[in-house]
Amino acid sequence: MPADLQEIIDISDKDHFISNSFHFKKNDEIPIKDHSKNSQLINFCYDILQELDIKSNIHPFYKYDEKEIKNPMDLFTIISKLENDQYTSIEEFEKDIRLIFRNCYIYNDIGSEMHTLGEALESTFNKVWAEKLIFQGKQKEKLKRVRDSDTDSSSELVTKQIQILEQNKDKLVYKQVVNDALLIALAYENLVADNIVPFIELIKTFLSTRSQISLSSAGEPVLQAIVENLLPLKYCIPELSLVMDGTKLKGFGRFGYSDIFILKGIGNNNISLELKYISLVGLIKTQKKKFNTNDLENLDKIIEKEDEKILLKRLYEYWSKEHNEIKQITIEEILNNGVNQLKSYMNIISKGKSIDYYSSGIFDKRIKITKSNPNKLKGFVILVIGFRRILWKPVEEITSNYSYEKI
């Protein structure tokens, strides 16, 4: 564990919930059991706890001081009850969660640090709880509607689309939209068939339309937005949420986010993309401290045709938050770091859904995961330098025993 909980939040002596030096360990304090008989309820409760961990500070409420509290309750006890299959309804789970808040307010003064933390956590819980219950209700209703009208609505939509295109076949804007859509569809089909080249060409085409003025401000968020727009919405899940290590705390390696996860549809492979952007500013700063837009544009043109071996040895300058200083790294190191990062994401994705608080896996409401026959999961690191040069590197494929579907 990178840091003791006492270093994360300092709780005064009068506060009755304690978190110092407390750490959950898989298969240690709480054994993992098979919850097949009650899995739906338990998964629902674990999802709540996972979202609370992401959206709020739950660490002070892991453990209580038994000597001080008449009706004690904490997250350790709740997780233990989940692990031992002691809940028979979501109402029982909710009752225990709310007992934590009630104790917090009874045993801590209004305005104290713990009282304020309790109010913040309760507010988050109320929102997450309401969203979960509404989502469950909508899913049931949606399933019913789909069963009743899926075939009819799909055929009507296709018919309507054909009619619109036929009516506007001579209009230039419609022709362009259709051409763009066909390019995106073709690039996607090649990508899930393990051919990334058409997709790379599509990114290059899009980047070539960008203003040279934005050379100094472009970054990974810009690249992320571009790539998202060049993939079919139905098969693209941006920033797929993952639990990398369920034994760690938020902010210390617990969560990770895969930049782009592409569902295979009728293709052969699910694809995970790791996106890296090399700013021209970070490259030119290793050579000169004063520069203008023309300097950046000239560097962009040089890099476009530069030998890859020479390009990979170029130094890139960036500000390191970890070391609080300017650091330098080669483009090759950035590319290799991206490969290692993507490998770790793909390994987690292949495990399917995170089944309990301590386990690694996918933790994302946008994706449905079901057990299936073995299928391939492939990955590519895409590294964009400026607006004219793209490097890409495949990652060794792995096997997944799950199928993935966007909700």
Side-chain angles (χ1 to χ4, degrees):
M1 184 173 172
D4 191 276
L5 285 174
Q6 186 66 37
E7 298 176 21
I8 298 173
I9 179 164
D10 179 29
I11 302 177
S12 62
D13 293 337
K14 68 177 180 178
D15 294 325
H16 300 283
F17 285 95
I18 59 174
S19 64
N20 51 303
S21 302
F22 190 83
H23 180 46
F24 294 123
K25 296 179 182 177
K26 189 173 181 179
N27 296 323
D28 188 358
E29 284 92 341
I30 305 175
I32 304 300
K33 292 189 175 182
D34 179 12
H35 303 297
S36 55
K37 293 182 179 179
N38 207 17
S39 60
Q40 191 172 5
L41 168 63
I42 290 171
N43 287 339
F44 179 90
C45 296
Y46 273 127
D47 284 348
I48 295 287
L49 294 177
Q50 292 275 24
E51 289 212 36
L52 289 180
D53 198 11
I54 292 173
K55 298 177 180 179
S56 191
N57 183 6
I58 68 173
H59 305 135
F61 303 94
Y62 274 143
K63 191 67 174 171
Y64 57 77
D65 186 345
E66 297 182 33
K67 299 177 183 178
E68 303 283 346
I69 299 176
K70 184 178 179 181
N71 297 306
M73 181 54 60
D74 57 23
L75 292 175
F76 177 84
T77 304
I78 289 173
I79 292 172
S80 296
K81 290 174 75 172
L82 283 169
E83 292 295 337
N84 291 287
D85 207 3
Q86 292 179 318
Y87 287 115
T88 60
S89 69
I90 59 173
E91 287 78 17
E92 291 179 7
F93 172 78
E94 181 189 16
K95 184 178 178 180
D96 280 351
I97 290 285
R98 296 202 182 279
L99 179 56
I100 292 177
F101 303 138
R102 187 157 60 249
N103 287 338
C104 179
Y105 302 147
I106 291 173
Y107 294 95
N108 293 280
D109 296 334
I110 295 176
S112 68
E113 184 177 13
M114 278 305 302
H115 197 285
T116 302
L117 287 170
E119 290 176 332
L121 183 60
E122 183 178 25
S123 176
T124 302
F125 173 77
N126 289 337
K127 292 177 183 176
V128 171
W129 187 254
E131 288 172 358
K132 280 285 183 184
L133 294 180
I134 292 171
F135 178 75
Q136 292 285 99
K138 283 184 176 180
Q139 285 298 99
K140 291 179 180 178
E141 180 61 27
K142 181 180 178 182
L143 183 60
K144 181 180 183 300
R145 290 199 306 267
V146 167
R147 285 172 177 167
D148 292 342
S149 62
D150 185 54
T151 303
D152 291 340
S153 61
S154 296
S155 59
E156 287 176 8
L157 179 61
V158 172
T159 302
K160 187 175 181 180
Q161 289 172 338
I162 292 173
Q163 289 174 348
I164 292 173
L165 291 174
E166 183 65 28
Q167 292 167 2
N168 297 278
K169 62 183 180 181
D170 295 326
K171 294 182 179 178
L172 184 60
V173 65
Y174 279 85
K175 289 182 179 179
Q176 189 60 53
V177 167
V178 170
N179 287 338
D180 291 346
L182 289 174
L183 286 173
I184 289 174
L186 182 63
Y188 163 77
E189 287 183 348
N190 275 276
L191 189 55
V192 295
D194 199 25
N195 178 15
I196 196 175
V197 175
F199 188 65
I200 296 296
E201 292 302 319
L202 191 61
I203 297 175
K204 285 182 179 179
T205 300
F206 195 93
L207 287 172
S208 67
T209 66
R210 301 284 298 183
S211 167
Q212 294 301 309
I213 295 176
S214 59
L215 280 170
S216 60
S217 59
E220 286 187 8
V222 173
L223 177 59
Q224 176 86 20
I226 290 172
V227 172
E228 288 176 24
N229 282 296
L230 296 179
L231 287 164
L233 184 62
K234 182 178 180 180
Y235 301 109
C236 172
I237 302 178
E239 297 179 329
L240 181 68
S241 299
L242 308 172
V243 178
M244 301 300 294
D245 187 339
T247 66
K248 292 183 178 180
L249 300 175
K250 181 177 67 174
F252 292 92
R254 181 176 181 84
F255 298 106
Y257 301 90
S258 177
D259 286 336
I260 303 283
F261 186 58
I262 303 167
L263 306 176
K264 67 179 183 178
I266 59 173
N268 300 323
N269 313 292
N270 295 296
I271 305 291
S272 188
L273 299 181
E274 177 68 20
L275 306 178
K276 297 293 182 184
Y277 185 83
I278 302 293
S279 166
L280 294 174
V281 173
L283 291 175
I284 205 168
K285 277 184 176 180
T286 64
Q287 301 170 352
K288 56 171 73 174
K289 298 305 177 185
K290 292 184 178 181
F291 53 88
N292 54 37
T293 302
N294 288 333
D295 294 325
L296 294 175
E297 188 170 355
N298 290 333
L299 179 59
D300 199 29
K301 292 176 180 178
I302 292 170
I303 287 175
E304 181 183 15
K305 299 178 180 180
E306 191 166 69
D307 180 86
E308 186 171 317
K309 290 182 180 180
I310 297 174
L311 179 61
L312 288 172
K313 300 302 179 185
R314 275 186 178 269
L315 287 173
Y316 177 73
E317 185 176 292
Y318 67 101
W319 176 259
S320 171
K321 292 181 180 179
E322 181 182 357
H323 299 96
N324 199 32
E325 64 179 357
I326 294 174
K327 305 279 284 185
Q328 289 189 348
I329 189 173
T330 66
I331 292 179
E332 185 173 25
E333 288 175 305
I334 295 173
L335 185 59
N336 290 335
N337 289 343
V339 169
N340 293 330
Q341 192 173 23
L342 182 54
K343 284 180 179 177
S344 66
Y345 290 156
M346 289 169 62
N347 284 328
I348 298 299
I349 293 171
S350 70
K351 295 180 179 181
K353 184 179 179 180
S354 174
I355 58 174
D356 56 48
Y357 191 81
Y358 310 101
S359 64
S360 300
I362 298 173
F363 178 65
D364 200 306
K365 294 186 292 185
R366 298 169 297 171
I367 188 169
K368 178 183 177 182
I369 303 165
T370 53
K371 199 79 174 176
S372 71
N373 294 326
N375 58 80
K376 295 176 182 178
L377 175 60
K378 298 198 173 186
F380 296 93
V381 177
I382 299 176
L383 187 147
V384 176
I385 308 167
F387 286 165
R388 300 171 186 267
R389 189 67 181 268
I390 301 178
L391 302 178
W392 58 272
K393 195 169 185 177
V395 173
E396 185 177 353
E397 70 178 50
I398 60 176
T399 301
S400 169
N401 292 316
Y402 296 91
S403 64
Y404 311 92
E405 181 182 352
K406 190 171 183 178
I407 298 176

